[in-house]
Amino acid sequence: MAILGIDIGGSGVKGAPVDTVRGELLAERFRVPTPQPSDVTSVVEAVAQVAAQFDGYDRVGVTFPGVVVDGVTRTAANVDKSWLDAPAAQLFSDRLGKPVSVLNDADAAGAAEVAFGAGKDQPGLVVMLTFGTGIGSALFLDGTLIPNTEFGHLELDGHDAETRASDRARETEDLSWEKWAGRVGNYLRHVEMLLSPRLFIIGGGVSKKADRFLPLIDIRTPMVPATLLNNAGIIGAAVTAETDAKAASPAGVTPHEAGAKVAG
């Protein structure tokens, strides 16, 4: 089965067909700027523009920067408010003429890392955290996604955690790596206390500089940097679309949201 993965980001919409057995792109990524304003009609057309560069695919997986429940976008913090309660999966499917799975962008990146990257073959509870403009989270139990977690919004020192410990906070406040690592460590210890995971996967653009801050953090849970970087969303979207194609859909619930394994 040929699967197309498309990743909707704050600055760009990018996609490529994916080999879901090896977790590799089958062609060079194609990217267009994210429309401004990023309203429903404009983003659907941007996704269609990316999809039009490829052929021979049977299904499509699309990431979205917000909570997605049964293909409906429930939050729209970083995109146009027209996405609130939009039937995204149906809109994309109608436009592309193919079955489409839509999921949260951090969940997609996590699905890729658990299937092919830093979390591959890791049993138990795995938490991926992406440090960027905010803090995204993805939670997996034995390779099964627990979707739409929002651990970036936990309270940390009386503030929303991502306003203190995101990579944007580091840049905006011009924090040293040592100072920022202290905040990240406090945040990770809080998540560790709540969940007792087997592994933290640290993603987002800052993961490329993991050697600058991970050695400064002392927690009990093992930490590893993400490995798939900018391709993670595309790969994870495709893997999830394949999961939805193979699993029986119980009572209208999207399979990847109903306990279908995305890895392992």
Side-chain angles (χ1 to χ4, degrees):
M1 181 182 296
I3 309 285
L4 181 66
I6 297 179
D7 187 14
I8 300 172
S11 61
V13 178
K14 54 188 182 292
V18 175
D19 181 335
T20 56
V21 174
R22 295 187 297 178
E24 299 174 356
L25 303 189
L26 292 170
E28 185 175 351
R29 294 184 309 173
F30 181 78
R31 180 186 184 279
V32 298
T34 300
Q36 299 301 327
S38 52
D39 59 89
V40 170
T41 301
S42 299
V43 173
V44 168
E45 286 307 310
V47 167
Q49 186 178 351
V50 171
Q53 305 302 309
F54 308 100
D55 53 26
Y57 56 89
D58 303 305
R59 296 185 70 93
V60 184
V62 177
T63 78
F64 181 81
V67 171
V68 184
V69 178
D70 293 337
V72 177
T73 49
R74 298 299 192 190
T75 64
N78 296 309
V79 290
D80 189 81
K81 300 308 179 187
S82 61
W83 281 102
L84 284 172
D85 294 324
Q90 189 63 54
L91 291 167
F92 289 127
S93 182
D94 289 346
R95 181 64 179 83
L96 301 180
K98 305 284 184 181
V100 177
S101 295
V102 184
L103 74 161
N104 171 264
D105 51 0
D107 285 346
E113 290 292 338
V114 168
F116 304 107
K120 181 175 172 58
D121 297 327
Q122 175 67 50
L125 189 65
V126 173
V127 178
M128 179 163 176
L129 297 166
T130 59
F131 292 84
T133 302
I135 299 176
S137 62
L139 194 64
F140 297 85
L141 181 60
D142 293 330
T144 297
L145 171 66
I146 302 170
N148 293 312
T149 56
E150 291 285 347
F151 291 119
H153 297 296
L154 291 171
E155 183 179 311
L156 182 66
D157 299 328
H159 302 274
D160 201 53
E162 65 179 21
T163 68
R164 299 279 294 165
S166 66
D167 192 40
R168 179 167 66 177
R170 179 185 67 83
E171 293 178 342
T172 300
E173 299 182 44
D174 195 24
L175 299 174
S176 67
W177 287 107
E178 291 77 10
K179 181 76 171 178
W180 185 66
R183 293 187 183 185
V184 174
N186 289 339
Y187 170 68
L188 291 175
R189 278 186 286 274
H190 189 52
V191 178
E192 182 180 59
M193 179 271 294
L194 292 171
L195 299 175
S196 300
R198 295 284 188 90
L199 179 71
F200 281 121
I201 302 172
I202 306 302
V206 76
S207 64
K208 292 181 288 187
K209 302 174 182 177
D211 60 318
R212 304 288 297 275
F213 66 94
L214 284 189
L216 304 175
I217 299 172
D218 182 20
I219 60 174
R220 290 181 297 174
T221 304
M223 301 174 291
V224 294
T227 60
L228 298 175
L229 303 176
N230 288 334
N231 290 336
I234 293 172
I235 294 170
V239 167
T240 303
E242 183 179 51
T243 298
D244 288 349
K246 290 181 177 179
S249 179
V253 179
T254 306
H256 75 266
E257 294 181 320
K261 294 183 73 171
V262 296

